[in-house]
Amino acid sequence: MPFFRFFRKQNNQYIRPSIELASLVERRAEEFGAFYKERFGYRLNYRLGSLSILDLILSEARYSALSVEWKQWLAVHAGAYLFRVASQRFHDWPLQYLWYHPLEQPVLVVGAPVFRISLLAQQAVLQRLEDREEPPLPLFFERFEKAVLPAAEGDDLLFM
């Protein structure tokens, strides 16, 4: 079954990508950077090297007593930061933000309509907050990048 069936409304109409969704992701990423600016300065700069800092933040949060609200805030905002890293890395590629209904969160789709390599960043962050066995974010992103760079027509992959 194609991954994109999840973007259909109940009446089988496809949801159109929204500029508002991209703006929301950007605002949340900026809020995340502003929240951690005092601690990390300008090292949260949406570059690949900053993913080790993001991984450190998630590792510290995993071992602390987080409230459900704080965990959700961190997942949403750190996920938005991860989206921004991906959008900076692949800024020359076709990018779309869509709403993924089964998990009620945005997904970044790279390469559509030729191929679709998709990233559920918020879900990736949640998994890292809950599971010590998940790979570090720099390694996770490297796998995503290695799927995008050689992608061929018809490829349809989801990373989370």
Side-chain angles (χ1 to χ4, degrees), residues 10-52:
Q10 296 297 336
N11 60 4
N12 270 351
Q13 296 289 331
Y14 280 98
I15 307 259
R16 296 186 185 270
S18 168
I19 293 174
E20 292 175 15
L21 191 53
S23 297
L24 179 64
V25 166
E26 190 167 323
R27 273 195 320 270
R28 287 177 173 169
E30 289 171 3
E31 289 170 3
F32 180 80
F35 184 81
Y36 286 103
K37 185 176 181 183
E38 185 176 323
R39 181 171 177 198
F40 295 107
Y42 293 102
R43 292 186 293 164
L44 286 172
N45 55 11
Y46 308 116
R47 292 209 161 60
L48 290 177
S50 67
L51 290 179
S52 60

Side-chain angles (χ1 to χ4, degrees), residues 11 38 59 77 103 131 137 139:
N11 60 4
E38 185 176 323
S59 178
H77 289 77
L103 295 175
D131 188 2
L137 276 177
L139 180 60

